[in-house]
Amino acid sequence: MDNFVNFQRQMNKKKGGLYIHIPYCRHKCLYCDFYTGGLRIAEWDKYVDCLLNELMQRKDEFDFEIETLYLGGGTPSLIPVKAFLRLMEGINSLLGKSDFKEFTLEANPEDVTDEKIKVWKDWGVNRVSLGVQTLIDSELKSIGRWHDSRSSIVAIEKLRREIGNVSVDVMFGIPGQTVSSYLSTLKRVLKVNPTHISSYALMLEEGTAMTQLYNSNRIFLPSESEWLEMYEATINILKGEGYERYEISNYSKPGKESCHNLSYWEGKPYIGLGPGAHSFDGGKIRKENPNDLKGYLRNFSNGGDKKFYIEEFLKEDELREEMILTRLRTSKGLNLKEFADTFGDEAKEKLLQNAQNFIFQGKLQKSDDFICFTDAGFSVSDSILVSLI
């Protein structure tokens, strides 16, 4: 195990990320299972103070260079300008750092204003991830989104002009969607030329309103063949437009991959602040903040003397499975030499034995140093990964 930790840290070169969770949403989307609360309960000043108190408490955990900062949620674009300024001033003061290789902020189209864009840009935001989902207004209503297609296009255009690096989320397999309507969304998004596109399928997560509607036959989803046609069209169209697929659901113009998300999949360290946020030391320790906003505010309102996270020490078999699961999410795939150096030649041979049938079927491909999914394999990656581990 010590060999694993030393090797992993060497590979990571002591670089990682900081994630900050913003748990408030104007309205919870019908498909969402993330930990969020309503905007009406937002106490922005108090929440920013608590985030900074947690950061102060955990400063000693930053034994790596912070390359990326990611504000996720929830809906980070809801943060009032005054609260955003206080948060950034506090982060920069505590870390002694004001510039990041990549600083991503997640946003909804209806929140994008000229004032916010200027403030975001002035404080170093150099990438915005915009939750568009679809440009068909009836489909937006079917999944509980508040914006419309026009505001999405306007937001993308403003962000492209002022910040430049813009990622757009689009979704397929949603209620009422057809192959034609999905392709219409994709082609309209391409006209405004985002640098990055995340195209992912609707997932019916347990406990969500969408799943309840589906189980009670109140909504109907596209068929499996329609889903597959949308998926395959995405690959072909984006490739033709110069986007490179670098992860299961993510496509970018050359050099515009999400550095922060790649660091997750490459096993680099990161620290997550806020209720529901996760952390990883790049070796064998995971930390998870409970999904408890009230408890979080209570714990950190007075400085945060107590640890809020739950700590987990991963076993070797868990680390081995995790390396397979995360590395194979990417188009680059799993480095077989790294895998063997970390877990031994026997583990490598077992992995290749489990993969052999999928290589024969054309769902996995192997080079001298890497094993990775083909496009056909990505479409059924979940079932393959279960067989590999």
Side-chain angles (χ1 to χ4, degrees):
M1 183 59 65
D2 289 339
N3 288 338
F4 173 84
V5 175
N6 292 334
F7 178 81
Q8 190 76 338
R9 289 187 181 278
Q10 181 183 1
M11 291 296 293
N12 292 334
K13 296 180 180 179
K14 289 293 192 179
K15 294 181 179 180
L18 172 62
Y19 172 85
I20 297 178
H21 186 65
I22 306 301
Y24 304 116
C25 287
R26 181 176 284 110
H27 176 75
K28 195 172 184 72
C29 300
L30 298 180
Y31 56 85
C32 179
D33 70 335
F34 293 147
Y35 180 66
T36 61
L39 183 59
R40 62 182 177 79
I41 67 170
E43 301 176 85
W44 289 109
D45 288 342
K46 185 175 183 180
Y47 188 65
V48 168
D49 286 342
C50 288
L51 286 172
L52 296 176
N53 285 337
E54 184 184 9
L55 179 56
M56 172 65 80
Q57 180 197 91
R58 301 181 65 181
K59 271 184 65 177
D60 290 344
E61 295 177 38
F62 287 100
D63 59 349
F64 54 88
E65 177 189 348
I66 305 170
E67 281 196 312
T68 60
L69 174 59
Y70 195 107
L71 267 59
T75 314
S77 54
L78 284 173
I79 305 175
V81 167
K82 182 180 177 182
F84 179 81
L85 293 174
R86 288 185 62 246
L87 176 62
M88 293 311 304
E89 288 168 354
I91 290 173
N92 293 348
S93 174
L94 289 170
L95 298 181
K97 183 180 179 71
S98 60
D99 60 321
F100 300 90
K101 176 182 178 181
E102 179 186 273
F103 180 178
T104 299
L105 182 143
E106 291 182 348
N108 281 344
E110 65 268 31
D111 302 325
V112 177
T113 65
D114 292 338
E115 180 189 20
K116 284 188 174 180
I117 292 175
K118 183 179 185 307
V119 172
W120 296 342
K121 184 177 179 180
D122 286 348
W123 281 87
V125 173
N126 55 22
R127 183 176 184 272
V128 175
S129 178
L130 195 67
V132 170
Q133 315 312 353
T134 172
L135 291 176
I136 307 298
D137 288 341
S138 60
E139 294 174 4
L140 286 167
K141 291 180 180 178
S142 78
I143 56 176
R145 301 289 286 185
W146 277 41
H147 64 273
D148 58 19
S149 57
R150 182 180 178 279
S151 64
S152 294
I153 295 297
V154 170
I156 298 170
E157 289 175 338
K158 285 184 176 182
L159 291 166
R160 282 287 286 137
R161 184 169 57 249
E162 298 300 327
I163 292 180
N165 193 6
V166 180
S167 175
V168 172
D169 288 355
V170 295
M171 183 182 288
F172 60 91
I174 64 182
Q177 191 177 54
T178 64
V179 174
S180 176
S181 69
Y182 171 70
L183 294 181
S184 173
T185 287
L186 195 59
K187 290 174 182 178
R188 288 171 66 190
V189 166
L190 288 170
K191 285 183 179 180
V192 285
N193 195 32
T195 52
H196 185 287
I197 294 176
S198 295
S199 173
Y200 55 96
L202 170 71
M203 302 299 291
L204 292 175
E205 304 291 353
E206 185 177 353
T208 64
M210 182 71 71
T211 299
Q212 294 173 12
L213 290 170
Y214 178 77
N215 290 339
S216 60
N217 295 319
R218 295 169 63 188
I219 59 168
F220 299 92
L221 304 180
S223 67
E224 184 176 344
S225 62
E226 289 174 313
W227 183 97
L228 187 59
E229 189 173 348
M230 295 178 201
Y231 168 79
E232 292 177 343
T234 301
I235 298 169
N236 295 329
I237 290 172
L238 294 184
K239 183 177 181 180
E241 293 293 328
Y243 291 83
E244 298 175 352
R245 186 185 198 179
Y246 70 96
E247 192 267 344
I248 292 176
S249 303
N250 288 285
Y251 306 76
S252 76
K253 292 294 181 70
K256 297 300 182 181
E257 302 87 352
S258 170
C259 298
H260 187 86
N261 289 337
L262 272 173
S263 72
Y264 292 158
W265 304 321
E266 292 172 352
K268 293 182 179 180
Y270 57 90
I271 291 177
L273 307 179
H278 293 247
S279 305
F280 180 54
D281 74 340
K284 60 179 180 180
I285 301 174
R286 287 211 173 279
K287 295 175 182 177
E288 176 183 354
N289 285 353
N291 292 335
D292 181 2
L293 177 57
K294 290 182 180 179
Y296 182 83
L297 294 175
R298 188 166 54 247
N299 188 74
F300 289 106
S301 288
N302 298 316
D305 294 331
K306 297 181 180 179
K307 304 292 186 185
F308 189 70
Y309 56 75
I310 299 167
E311 194 168 50
E312 177 185 10
F313 291 82
L314 300 176
K315 300 175 182 177
E316 185 169 352
D317 59 339
E318 294 172 320
L319 293 165
R320 184 174 62 250
E321 291 178 5
E322 187 162 292
M323 183 181 284
I324 295 171
L325 292 171
T326 55
R327 302 299 198 279
L328 285 176
R329 286 185 63 96
T330 67
S331 296
K332 182 180 180 181
L334 173 65
N335 185 319
L336 293 170
K337 184 178 185 304
E338 176 191 359
F339 188 76
D341 287 345
T342 308
F343 300 110
D345 289 333
E346 185 176 342
K348 172 188 168 183
E349 293 307 315
K350 182 178 180 181
L351 171 64
L352 290 176
Q353 183 179 355
N354 291 339
Q356 193 58 47
N357 191 43
F358 300 111
I359 294 172
F360 177 77
Q361 295 172 9
K363 295 176 181 177
L364 286 171
Q365 60 185 20
K366 177 184 173 298
S367 64
D368 289 339
D369 296 324
F370 284 86
I371 185 170
C372 62
F373 281 114
T374 63
D375 286 336
F378 268 132
S379 67
V380 289
S381 58
D382 286 349
S383 61
I384 294 176
L385 287 169
V386 170
S387 298
L388 292 181
I389 62 176

